[in-house]
Amino acid sequence: MNQRMCILLLLLLLIGCSTSKIIENDLMVEQYVLDRGYTIVQNEGIVHEYILDKKQLMEMPYVQYWSVQDVDPLMYVDEKISTSKFTVSGHPLDDNSKNENQQTNVYIMSSATGIIGGYSSPTHSEMNDGWVCTIDGQTLEQHTGISYSAWLEQWQDKYK
């Protein structure tokens, strides 16, 4: 009986610590969005998780997600990447002529080591097949300062 109680207590402690880390990460990600000056309309929490492998850097949609980050994705290969989704207002993409709702979806990517960055796209009543923007609404060309074709060639040379 004593052994069972010790095991149960240990499990409860582990679950409590795990839940505490999840809540802490959620608050950190939410604060990251608020620190950028956006008003959170909806927090959907983690919407996608995956272990990044180098092969994904040549596959859609991962090419899009990583193309507008300020970090080298190779630093995160073999790490679990969590993506949290927020609908926000007060974002530069709110004024996009195709953005009927005047709100923007912001996605924050994080790993066990912290926040990696994020990307954004206007909210639409229909699914959008366009390329994502930086977290602050810049296009790939604005973010990199080069054309898509030049960027693609550099990306393929580096990550193939």
Side-chain angles (χ1 to χ4, degrees):
M1 182 79 165
N2 237 357
Q3 188 177 12
R4 285 184 187 164
M5 290 298 282
C6 286
I7 290 171
L8 181 61
L9 183 59
L10 183 60
L11 284 173
L12 288 173
L13 283 172
L14 287 173
I15 290 169
C17 291
S18 174
T19 302
S20 173
K21 278 191 170 226
I22 291 169
I23 291 169
E24 183 180 314
N25 185 61
D26 287 348
L27 291 174
M28 179 180 65
V29 171
E30 189 170 296
Q31 189 60 50
Y32 183 77
V33 173
L34 293 171
D35 288 347
R36 300 196 90 74
Y38 308 138
T39 301
I40 297 173
V41 175
Q42 183 176 7
N43 177 350
E44 292 187 33
I46 295 173
V47 294
H48 184 56
E49 289 186 311
Y50 59 97
I51 305 295
L52 180 64
D53 65 53
K54 189 174 177 187
K55 180 181 80 171
Q56 288 169 308
L57 297 176
M58 297 304 295
E59 299 172 354
M60 291 296 188
Y62 302 100
V63 172
Q64 285 190 37
Y65 304 157
W66 287 95
S67 69
V68 293
Q69 303 311 310
D70 291 326
V71 297
D72 185 346
L74 292 177
M75 295 174 23
Y76 296 94
V77 168
D78 296 328
E79 286 195 36
K80 179 178 167 185
I81 308 300
S82 299
T83 304
S84 300
K85 179 181 178 185
F86 297 85
T87 302
V88 303
S89 62
H91 190 280
L93 293 179
D94 289 356
D95 296 329
N96 182 308
S97 63
K98 296 179 185 173
N99 193 348
E100 304 155 0
N101 302 326
Q102 298 291 296
Q103 295 175 344
T104 300
N105 292 324
V106 170
Y107 300 84
I108 307 300
M109 297 165 42
S110 61
S111 72
T113 57
I115 294 175
I116 297 166
Y119 52 94
S120 62
S121 65
T123 58
H124 292 284
S125 53
E126 294 180 22
M127 193 63 164
N128 177 22
D129 337 285
W131 203 272
V132 299
C133 296
T134 66
I135 192 167
D136 295 323
Q138 290 185 322
T139 65
L140 176 69
E141 290 82 2
Q142 291 169 328
H143 179 67
T144 62
I146 59 176
S147 70
Y148 172 76
S149 57
W151 170 85
L152 184 60
E153 187 176 319
Q154 289 177 6
W155 184 269
Q156 289 176 336
D157 287 346
K158 186 169 185 176
Y159 298 114
K160 232 177 196 180

